[in-house]
Structures are given as structure tokens and as C-alpha cells.
Amino acid sequence: FEQRLKRSKEMQRTRKELESAIQDLPDGFAIFDQENRMVMHNDRLFGFYPHLKHRIEMVRGGLTFEKFIEANVSAGSYLFEEEKGSSDWILEKKANFMLPASQWEESLANGTVLGITTYRTPDGGGALVAKDISKDKAKHKDLTFLAYHDSLTGLPNRKAFHQKLTQSIHNANNLSGQILAVLFLDLDGFKAINDTYGHEMGDWLLNQVGQRLRSCVRGDDVVARFGGDEFCIILNHATSRAKIKSIARRILKSVTNPFIREGVSMSIGVSIG
């Protein structure tokens, strides 16, 4: 009895040390037994799913991984892709959890993005690590945006234009009677304004030109900046050559209207091919 009591105390001490170590982890963490019931977790994990903090009896009663996911779904914790329903998502994550190791991302309703890693432990149980990767995802998104967009106007750049043009040509070839038009624009008189009023005014003018061009076309058309004072426009789903000419005239009228800033009126022209 004394030996069993001693072993019991040692196990309790070991568990407390393990719980303390888990609490100190910077990421959310949970351990599951052979029946996939959660037997240990840290506060960081439930910080991502705050509704579970008020259901501690559910956790103590043997919260399985599947019930853990279902509870989060019921609480509206996740943002799902439109083509994937919650039931399919639960089944997919349950299957992933049974793999020797698995990784996926979870987008939470509050805007947080989690990187989830699960793996099976040698005793037949499992473990889950939840890492907040929101900043990394935002940084990656910003870098991706900068790679395909002009930093001054926010319009698609030359690289993005070529990709979108390739897709537009493919779409037009698959639709009978489809007319696709590409307009190349070069501003006239821009250099004189840049030399007279400085690059800061020139940058503002280019930004304003980009906004006017977007206002002249439809939402599924593409306005891109090639560089300098050159722009390109892809007119998707054009109905006729007359319509294309009408849009070009609208652009001419819009861009040639004076630009006014801080009492300075500036006029430019535009050549369209």
C-alpha cells in the first residue's frame, strides 16, 4: 500500500510538472488518450475557443477530438470555404487526426488564423498544437499583393496584366461570338506636369488617372498600370466594336478633364490604341 501510495504521489507530481510545462507553451496544446479523449490542455488553447472555458464539465467528462471540433462548429468559431460544409469539414479533420501526423489551417470567425498540427503519440493517443499564424498570413498576403499590384495606384501591374490577359483570351476562345478588346493608353503631357510641379504631384496625378479609368469600365474589366504613364485595359465580354469605341471615347473625355489639386489645375491628354 505504501509503495502504491508513493507511486501515486510520484505520478501526481509528474502530472503537475507536465501541466505546468504545457501552460508555459506559447501555443495552444492538448493531449488525447487512446480513445481520443482530451486529458490535458493549456489555457492558450481554450483562449482560441473561449466558449469551451464555460463548459469545463464537458472537458472533464471526456471531450473527444471529434466533440471538440463539433463544439467549435456549433459555437460558430470557424469560417468555412463556401464549397465545403461543416459536416464534411468535421469528417476531414477527424480523419487527419488519425494520421501519424497532419497539418492544416483554421480561419476563425474573429479573424485569427491558426496553424494546426496533430500527431499520434507512441502510446496510441494523440496531441494537438495550435499556433496563431495571423501575422504571417497577413504578411504573406501583403507580399503577394505587392508582387501583382502597382504600389502607387493599387492597380494590377504588368505581371498581373499578362496573367489576366491569358485567362481572358482563354475565356473568349471558349465562348462563341465573344469579343475581347485590349486598350493601350499613354498619357500625353504628363512629363511636363511632373517637371513643373514635382514627382509628388505627378504621383497624385497617376493615382487620379487610375481611379478615372476604373470608373469608365465594368467590374469584370481589368485596368492595369504598365509603368510610367502607360496603362492597359482589358475589356471582357465586349458586345461590339461600336461599344469598344464608345468606351474609348468615354476614357478620352474623362482623362482630359482637368485635374485640380490645391488650387492647381492640370490638363493632360491620352493616346489610346
Side-chain angles (χ1 to χ4, degrees):
F1 176 78
E2 289 178 352
Q3 290 177 349
R4 292 174 62 184
L5 183 61
K6 182 179 180 180
R7 285 197 300 268
S8 177
K9 290 181 178 180
E10 289 176 350
M11 290 177 63
Q12 291 178 4
R13 184 174 67 253
T14 301
R15 182 182 177 88
K16 289 181 179 180
E17 291 175 352
L18 181 58
E19 289 178 341
S20 177
I22 290 176
Q23 286 295 347
D24 292 338
L25 292 174
D27 303 323
F29 188 80
I31 296 177
F32 296 80
D33 63 14
Q34 292 89 340
E35 297 179 3
N36 294 330
R37 295 174 301 188
M38 187 181 295
V39 293
M40 201 175 295
H41 69 275
N42 62 4
D43 293 339
R44 177 68 169 163
L45 179 66
F46 279 19
F48 296 134
Y49 313 105
H51 58 280
L52 291 175
K53 293 181 179 179
H54 308 294
R55 304 181 64 180
I56 197 66
E57 74 286 349
M58 181 181 181
V59 179
R60 289 174 177 170
L63 178 65
T64 63
F65 175 78
E66 184 175 4
K67 294 295 183 183
F68 169 71
I69 296 293
E70 290 177 349
N72 296 336
V73 170
S74 299
S77 298
Y78 303 123
L79 290 178
F80 296 106
E81 299 174 359
E82 293 183 0
E83 65 273 12
K84 185 173 294 186
S86 58
S87 57
D88 292 337
W89 194 84
I90 292 172
L91 291 175
E92 178 184 298
K93 298 303 174 282
K94 183 181 177 182
N96 289 347
F97 187 67
M98 298 307 296
L99 297 174
S102 183
Q103 289 184 323
W104 67 84
E105 292 182 6
E106 293 180 357
S107 296
L108 304 186
N110 62 7
T112 301
V113 181
L114 299 180
I116 304 295
T117 302
T118 64
Y119 53 90
R120 306 306 297 180
T121 54
D123 62 355
L128 179 147
V129 180
K131 182 179 181 63
D132 187 345
I133 59 173
S134 304
K135 291 183 179 180
D136 293 337
K137 292 291 290 185
K139 183 177 180 180
H140 177 73
K141 186 177 181 180
D142 290 342
L143 291 174
T144 302
F145 182 87
L146 291 175
Y148 290 93
H149 289 79
D150 172 50
S151 59
L152 177 61
T153 62
L155 297 174
N157 59 17
R158 184 190 297 255
K159 181 178 181 180
F161 170 80
H162 283 298
Q163 289 188 354
K164 293 179 182 295
L165 179 59
T166 299
Q167 184 61 48
S168 294
I169 292 173
H170 174 76
N171 294 340
N173 286 334
N174 290 334
L175 294 173
S176 60
Q178 180 70 56
I179 299 177
L180 173 66
V182 182
L183 307 182
F184 290 85
L185 293 79
D186 188 6
L187 302 183
D188 301 325
F190 172 76
K191 185 178 184 302
I193 291 177
N194 216 25
D195 293 341
T196 302
Y197 299 105
H199 292 289
E200 194 274 335
M201 186 70 87
D203 289 346
W204 175 84
L205 182 60
L206 288 173
N207 201 354
Q208 292 298 305
V209 170
Q211 293 183 31
R212 290 191 183 185
L213 293 178
R214 279 186 288 196
S215 68
C216 292
V217 299
R218 300 186 307 180
D220 59 348
D221 296 325
V222 178
V223 178
R225 184 188 177 202
F226 247 40
D229 60 355
E230 296 178 342
F231 294 83
C232 289
I233 298 177
I234 302 173
L235 298 177
N236 293 301
H237 312 299
T239 54
S240 66
R241 293 179 180 273
K243 180 64 175 178
I244 296 169
K245 291 181 179 180
S246 174
I247 294 173
R249 285 193 292 268
R250 186 191 313 161
I251 292 172
L252 281 169
K253 182 178 180 180
S254 177
V255 175
T256 54
N257 281 335
F259 295 83
I260 301 175
R261 185 190 189 197
E262 299 175 356
V264 178
S265 178
M266 296 165 287
S267 295
I268 58 174
V270 58
S271 300
I272 305 177

